[in-house]
């Protein structure tokens, strides 16, 4: 069972510090629990040393902690081997790293990649940039009436030239959960690998990469109660042969002479230079925090109650909102909406005057905004420490803000 919300809130120094603030911008980044902050401080106080290179005990301890974190994270997403986990600086870095690898070793001219119109810019630009240079074409699946990727449309785009499908598990703008199970199953009947951008699902939904049989999966630590600057690329072992080092140097090798290098296997050959050791340790602590507090599914159950309540309150109390979800849409705790005839920035600015942090704008999904023919939305995104009382206060503040604007 999940601890009470009060207990959970007490574990977040930011929440305790800002008693009167309401933080509803969790899709952008989450707050960090005390044990994450302590894990980093403890590391620097007691262990701090560079990894993989020393014979002295501090270096050995640092290496052990770093690799133990890899094991914990592999278990968290049920990777079959820790070596399938490559540490990166975050989702954006992971997708860029994968794109560089695949464009160097895997794609050929006239190949095609399928994305969707609701992708975050981080899952469009790396494919767009290299795709143009290498004459690899992008295809985009549209969305259905429930604001999810339209699976039928996506299937209709698949042909013998399709070499990768790269889509998000959950839309960062709309919160809708995509039917990735069906998409992966379909892709594999044609031998097409699938990359899942799990940046917005990792903190809300249990993820089992073996059960999903997904080929690549990426996320950022900071969206799941861990520090910024750390993330990962899960890559199924079968594809490691395509993962050649781009950024090479210390830590990536087995043997070097002046003219030739024998590289280490994945993951080390992709983790060049001194990595973000404190970030890796902080990410492990964040996963420990989740496990100690009941696990991700328990977080989801609480957040789902909050989301349903928020949706009901928005629906019942306002006649002038456009809400970008439906009661049928499977969703994580994110709701995007607009107030008719008002700019989202104006609403967000007024809410800020009431101490409420929401995100406004295009949320790094301009193609989706263009598809929906809007400039932006107001996005409320909830986490495990949010409460019903906060939603009540938000509804009152939104009401006042709209009155002020009209
Ligand atoms: N993809 C999705 C779905 C996201 O929500 C985000 C962050 N908003 C990113 C990618 C990029 O993540 P980061 O900035 O941590 O690299």
């Amino acid at each position: 069972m999940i601890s009470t919300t009060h207990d959970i809130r007490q574990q977040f120094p930011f929440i305790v510090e800002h008693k009167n603030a309401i933080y509803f911008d969790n899709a952008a980044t989450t707050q960090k629990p005390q044990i994450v902050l302590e894990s980093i401080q403890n590391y620097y106080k007691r262990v701090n040393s560079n990894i993989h290179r020393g014979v002295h005990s501090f270096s050995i301890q640092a290496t052990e902690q770093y690799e133990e974190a890899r094991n914990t994270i592999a278990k968290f997403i049920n990777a079959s081997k820790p070596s399938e986990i490559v540490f990166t600086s975050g989702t954006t870095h992971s997708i860029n790293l994968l794109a560089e690898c695949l464009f160097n070793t895997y794609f050929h001219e006239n190949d095609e990649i399928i994305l969707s119109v609701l992708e975050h810019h981080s899952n469009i630009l790396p494919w767009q940039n290299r795709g143009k240079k290498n004459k690899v074409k992008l295809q985009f699946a549209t969305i259905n009436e429930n604001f999810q990727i339209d699976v039928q449309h996506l299937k209709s785009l698949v042909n013998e030239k399709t070499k990768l499908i790269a889509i998000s598990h959950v839309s960062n703008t709309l919160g809708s959960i995509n039917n990735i199970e069906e998409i992966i199953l379909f892709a594999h009947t044609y031998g097409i690998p699938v990359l899942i951008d799990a940046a917005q699902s990792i903190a809300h939904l249990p993820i089992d990469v073996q059960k999903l049989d997904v080929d690549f999966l990426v996320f950022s630590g900071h969206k799941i109660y861990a520090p910024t600057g750390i993330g990962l690329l899960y890559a199924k072992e079968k594809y490691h042969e395509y993962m050649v080092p781009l950024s090479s140097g210390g830590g990536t090798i087995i043997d070097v002479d002046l003219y030739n290098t024998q590289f280490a296997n994945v993951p080390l050959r992709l983790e060049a230079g001194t990595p973000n050791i404190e970030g890796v340790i902080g990410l492990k602590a964040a996963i420990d925090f989740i496990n100690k507090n009941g696990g991700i599914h328990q977080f989801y159950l609480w957040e789902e109650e909050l989301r349903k309540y928020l949706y009901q309150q928005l629906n019942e109390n306002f006649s002038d909102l456009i809400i970008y979800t439906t009661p049928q849409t499977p969703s994580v705790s994110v709701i995007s909406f607009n107030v008719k005839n008002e700019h989202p920035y104006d609403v967000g600015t007024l809410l800020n005057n009431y101490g409420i942090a929401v995100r406004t704008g295009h949320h790094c999904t301009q193609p989706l905004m263009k598809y929906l023919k809007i400039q932006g939305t107001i996005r409320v995104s909830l986490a495990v420490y949010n409460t019903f009382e906060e939603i009540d206060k938000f509804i009152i503040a939104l009401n006042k803000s709209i009155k002020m604007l009209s």
Side-chain angles (χ1 to χ4, degrees), residues 234-254:
Y234 160 80
K236 215 188 243 175
E237 195 173 51
K238 174 178 164 189
Y239 289 101
H240 286 190
E241 64 180 290
Y242 298 104
M243 318 286 290
V244 290
L246 300 148
S247 145
S248 43
T252 61
I253 56 93
I254 291 172

Side-chain angles (χ1 to χ4, degrees), residues 143-292:
I143 54 175
N144 62 22
E145 62 288 355
N146 288 334
F147 299 96
Q148 298 166 283
I149 293 175
D150 184 335
V151 177
Q152 292 319 314
H153 183 238
L154 185 145
K155 286 181 178 176
S156 74
L157 298 174
V158 170
N159 63 56
E160 69 286 354
K161 293 182 200 155
T162 310
K163 291 292 151 47
L164 180 75
I165 297 176
I167 48 165
S168 48
H169 192 179
V170 163
S171 158
N172 65 303
T173 301
L174 309 171
S176 38
I177 303 172
N178 294 311
N179 191 346
I180 58 167
E181 291 81 1
E182 189 177 342
I183 293 170
I184 294 169
L185 208 63
F186 182 79
H188 286 176
T189 59
Y190 291 86
I192 303 164
V194 179
L195 159 68
I196 295 296
D197 174 353
Q200 292 297 336
S201 53
I202 194 69
H204 307 286
L205 302 172
I207 289 183
D208 181 332
V209 289
Q210 290 190 69
K211 195 163 159 210
L212 283 170
D213 198 22
V214 65
D215 305 285
F216 305 102
L217 183 131
V218 294
F219 67 85
S220 305
H222 71 96
K223 312 261 190 204
I224 182 168
Y225 311 110
T228 49
I230 186 68
L232 63 87
L233 163 62
Y234 160 80
K236 215 188 243 175
E237 195 173 51
K238 174 178 164 189
Y239 289 101
H240 286 190
E241 64 180 290
Y242 298 104
M243 318 286 290
V244 290
L246 300 148
S247 145
S248 43
T252 61
I253 56 93
I254 291 172
D255 188 64
V256 182
D257 65 31
L258 287 178
Y259 298 102
N260 289 301
T261 299
Q262 188 191 351
F263 284 99
N265 289 334
V266 174
L268 293 190
R269 74 165 174 247
L270 298 167
E271 293 176 4
T274 300
N276 181 358
I277 307 170
E278 65 167 75
V280 168
I281 283 167
L283 177 54
K284 178 189 180 296
I287 289 170
D288 290 342
F289 160 80
I290 292 164
N291 291 335
K292 273 186 199 143

Side-chain angles (χ1 to χ4, degrees), residues 123-142:
N123 193 29
I124 298 179
L125 271 55
W127 310 114
Q128 204 181 69
N129 289 342
R130 286 291 300 260
K132 268 188 198 146
K133 276 188 216 143
N134 295 49
K135 299 201 169 60
V136 169
K137 192 174 157 192
L138 305 186
Q139 299 273 19
F140 289 91
T142 53

